[in-house]
Amino acid sequence: MLLSGRVGDWTFVYDDGGLTSFGEDGESPAKLLSTTGKQAATCTFSINADTNLDYAVDGELLFSISEELDPARDAEEIPAGLRDAVAAAGIFEQDHLDDDEPDAAINMRVLCALAGLQCTLDDLRRIPLWAAPFA
């Protein structure tokens, strides 16, 4: 199932099957969605905790990572348009993880920060959603 909605100028799609992770010929959906002169970002997080984050502007993929972003390790590769969102996402210590395990939710927090998505569950429930089967 696909659900979509809008938050400010950003449109979001929730894909519970992970079928929209890659476009035709393996193209990043962020690249395809940004071809009209806009910025686009995509993030996936699977049931197996696989994650990625792509960021594109004007049809050009500027950043792509297929694991959890590490702000210290990846600092030189993070484009200017994504840096504030990375800083806003922060790094959360997780008591149940070993010290060397990554922050599994950082990519999704970066995406939410980029979109200015700072809302409660009640706020999300008030957003009109469109649902469609993915065939």
Side-chain angles (χ1 to χ4, degrees):
M1 176 182 300
L2 298 177
L3 295 173
S4 66
R6 290 189 63 102
V7 175
D9 291 336
W10 288 85
T11 299
F12 66 88
V13 175
Y14 173 78
D15 167 12
D16 72 347
L19 300 174
T20 58
S21 298
F22 302 98
E24 294 180 25
D25 300 325
E27 288 274 16
S28 166
K31 181 177 176 181
L32 298 171
L33 292 168
S34 72
T35 58
T36 60
K38 299 188 184 262
Q39 61 178 333
T42 60
C43 176
T44 59
F45 192 84
S46 78
I47 194 169
N48 300 319
D50 298 321
T51 186
N52 74 328
L53 176 65
D54 287 353
Y55 174 74
V57 176
D58 202 19
E60 182 181 352
L61 188 62
L62 300 179
F63 184 76
S64 181
I65 190 165
S66 58
E67 61 187 354
E68 294 85 0
L69 183 137
D70 180 331
R73 178 196 67 210
D74 303 318
E76 292 184 24
E77 287 86 35
I78 298 170
L82 199 56
R83 287 185 193 135
D84 287 344
V86 171
I91 298 174
F92 289 86
E93 297 298 326
Q94 301 170 45
D95 294 336
H96 64 284
L97 297 177
D98 293 332
D99 289 339
D100 62 342
E101 289 188 61
D103 178 355
I106 191 167
N107 292 356
M108 192 61 71
R109 290 194 318 274
V110 168
L111 189 71
C112 289
L114 183 65
L117 182 60
Q118 298 176 354
C119 54
T120 66
L121 285 176
D122 286 337
D123 294 334
L124 287 173
R125 288 183 180 113
R126 287 191 289 271
I127 296 172
L129 299 175
W130 296 272
F134 191 83

